[in-house]
Amino acid sequence: MKAYMNNNTRRHHDFRKDLEYLTPNAGAEMLRYGWRKPDILSLGQGEGCAATPDFIIDTASQAMQEGKTFYAPVLGYPSVRQDLSDYYRRIYDLNIEPNRLFLTGSGTTAMHLALTSILDAGDEILAVTPIWKNLLGAAEIARAKVNQVSLREENGNWKLDLNELFAAVTPETKAILIVTPSNPTGWMMKDHEIKAVLDFAREQNIWIIADEVYGRIVFDKAHAPSFLTHATADDKLYVVNSFSKAYAMTGWRLGWLVGPTFAEEVIRDIALYDNMGPASFIQLAGGTALREGEEFIAGQIDRWRKNKDILNEFFAAHPEFECAEIQATFYAFFRNKNKPDCMSYCRELIDEVSLSLAPGCAFGQSSEGYIRLCFACSEAKLLEALKRLEQVR
Ligand SMILES: Cc1ncc(COP(=O)(O)O)c(C=O)c1O
């Protein structure tokens, strides 16, 4: 992929030299291309249609009324860190002490903090792809070289070859980065695979950064398998998470990071020099979401399951489309056999039928030809999108 800025532009404006390695984001580019059209129907971005539920909004507004508008503790109010700890006990049956739970200004910020705490110049990150491009951007900004190991689509399922992953580790590899469940593929790592990767990382003395932002967006169980199940409080493991998807809070910017006990101080210091932690009243609203959000999550999953079924019926009825089984998340990552170039296919969909989807090449080296559709929308919107998709064959 071409560099973000050419050398002359960079030198001329005297930006940081490493920015030369920051690669462009084809997904963001396509979204901007679509937004030019007033009648655009966009399922290109990763968020639902539902507004944040009232019980969460009420906590934030009440907290503001009560004067919770000042600086809060950088890693989060102790009460909300306790809410997170209780959440892990209740939902995952895990004992994660509050001193390993750090509230952050988003899942993205959690990723930046994790990377910033471990990367030296010249370090490498080994990322399982396809992957949400912003995470690769975060590693690039932190000056890491990113190597990729690709999932493979086999017999209608995405698969990770663990031997290939382990063989790709080099002496410079500082961390393995895995998103499970995966944006964009909907692939979900199995429990025994998680254990094998954790054992390998221990042996090699490297970090794992697991993004479990979609850990609750699963269709047949309460949560996806988690790295935390097999880890001890001393393992070199970061788990990134967010309130954005499960609680319909994308615009609030609130997430969390789980780290080893020994990371608390370093993450606190980096967060202090970053944004000094998330907004006070937003943290408190997050606490309410954790305590009272289960019914809301269940309602969303029901709606998204119905949409997944509609999509599967659509793909089954249209043989030019191929989509592996969607195990989790609210994304369909599919191909149209007649349209191998995803950038021009996405542009064509925008130009011809005002439908904006995300091009596969935005998600890593091996997903050229794929398209991502976010189905966390109303049934009516999904049906309209599929009608438009049908018109460009
Ligand atoms: C895998 C993954 N991680 C993190 C995020 C970002 O979460 P947040 O909105 O909390 O920054 C996203 C958003 O799409 C995502 O797909």
Side-chain angles (χ1 to χ4, degrees):
M1 211 176 260
K2 74 177 183 330
Y4 189 68
M5 298 178 214
N6 69 39
N7 283 348
N8 287 340
T9 313
R10 176 180 52 73
R11 276 196 213 106
H12 179 68
H13 295 293
D14 213 13
F15 287 121
R16 202 178 97 200
K17 289 183 186 61
D18 312 272
L19 287 184
E20 194 183 321
Y21 301 105
L22 193 58
T23 49
N25 188 324
E29 199 181 300
M30 198 57 74
L31 280 173
R32 287 193 291 270
Y33 186 72
W35 285 333
R36 295 168 312 125
K37 296 193 85 176
D39 61 338
I40 196 78
L41 191 166
S42 177
L43 298 183
Q45 197 151 23
E47 65 181 344
C49 293
T52 308
D54 285 346
F55 70 92
I56 297 176
I57 293 177
D58 290 347
T59 301
S61 97
Q62 200 182 325
M64 280 191 278
Q65 300 291 348
E66 288 171 1
K68 291 281 188 322
T69 53
F70 296 91
Y71 290 131
V74 171
L75 294 181
Y77 285 115
S79 66
V80 186
R81 296 177 77 184
Q82 184 63 51
D83 287 334
L84 271 172
S85 178
D86 296 345
Y87 169 85
Y88 274 113
R89 177 166 300 289
R90 209 171 53 249
I91 307 296
Y92 288 77
D93 197 19
L94 289 174
N95 179 30
I96 313 276
E97 294 295 329
N99 64 355
R100 296 180 56 203
L101 295 160
F102 321 131
L103 270 288
T104 61
S106 68
T108 307
T109 302
M111 183 59 74
H112 278 285
L113 292 173
L115 290 166
T116 308
S117 75
I118 62 169
L119 284 173
D120 287 304
D123 282 345
E124 293 178 5
I125 293 284
L126 181 59
V128 174
T129 60
I131 192 170
W132 187 51
K133 162 68 192 162
N134 296 31
L135 303 181
L136 300 186
E140 287 162 1
I141 283 190
R143 302 165 199 233
K145 176 167 179 253
V146 180
N147 295 322
Q148 303 184 27
V149 167
S150 306
L151 298 173
R152 271 202 212 90
E153 202 186 332
E154 274 172 27
N155 305 324
N157 278 299
W158 290 99
K159 292 219 166 70
L160 172 64
D161 182 335
L162 288 184
N163 292 327
E164 193 184 336
L165 178 74
F166 299 159
V169 167
T170 75
E172 279 69 48
T173 305
K174 197 62 174 278
I176 297 177
L177 170 57
I178 303 184
V179 180
T180 177
S182 149
N183 172 8
T185 56
W187 163 79
M188 180 164 58
M189 223 172 161
K190 296 190 179 67
D191 198 59
H192 70 87
E193 293 172 321
I194 286 179
K195 187 169 178 318
V197 172
L198 196 56
D199 287 345
F200 174 80
R202 277 184 194 135
E203 237 173 72
Q204 301 289 318
N205 195 24
I206 55 179
W207 284 84
I208 293 174
I209 305 181
D211 179 321
E212 298 187 357
V213 163
Y214 296 93
R216 302 299 310 283
I217 320 290
V218 288
F219 299 102
D220 56 359
K221 43 174 105 89
H223 62 81
S226 167
F227 273 88
L228 292 168
T229 304
H230 296 288
T232 69
D234 295 325
D235 275 316
K236 290 162 96 178
L237 168 73
Y238 280 125
V239 173
V240 166
N241 219 317
S242 170
F243 292 78
S244 281
K245 317 287 171 170
Y247 302 111
M249 291 175 72
T250 50
W252 294 63
R253 316 311 297 132
L254 186 65
W256 74 89
L257 182 66
V258 191
T261 317
F262 59 82
E264 185 184 27
E265 220 172 282
V266 74
I267 293 294
R268 186 200 58 208
D269 289 350
I270 300 170
L272 183 67
Y273 296 131
D274 178 43
N275 196 35
M276 292 205 282
S280 47
F281 49 90
I282 288 181
Q283 289 187 36
L284 295 168
T288 300
L290 293 166
R291 288 191 310 275
E292 299 173 26
E294 287 309 305
E295 203 182 318
F296 179 74
I297 292 179
Q300 293 213 101
I301 299 288
D302 269 352
R303 283 191 293 281
W304 297 338
R305 186 188 291 106
K306 281 187 198 124
N307 282 356
K308 182 166 77 82
D309 293 345
I310 290 173
L311 269 166
N312 282 334
E313 272 170 36
F314 176 86
F315 291 134
H318 296 79
E320 69 272 34
F321 290 107
E322 273 179 356
C323 184
E325 192 201 340
I326 304 163
Q327 298 173 349
T329 76
F330 42 54
Y331 301 113
F333 200 56
F334 62 94
R335 273 187 289 204
N336 179 338
K337 287 183 217 155
N338 303 328
K339 306 278 182 187
D341 178 342
C342 63
M343 285 303 273
S344 58
Y345 184 30
C346 279
R347 257 188 234 108
E348 197 182 347
L349 286 168
I350 291 170
D351 292 340
E352 301 294 321
V353 291
S354 296
L355 175 63
S356 175
L357 301 178
C361 53
F363 299 94
Q365 67 192 9
S366 58
S367 39
E368 183 73 38
Y370 286 85
I371 301 280
R372 191 196 72 181
L373 177 152
C374 171
F375 58 83
C377 56
S378 68
E379 186 178 317
K381 194 168 175 184
L382 178 63
L383 291 172
E384 175 59 28
L386 295 181
K387 209 161 82 188
R388 296 187 190 193
L389 193 60
E390 237 175 357
Q391 288 165 26
V392 182
R393 304 225 214 156

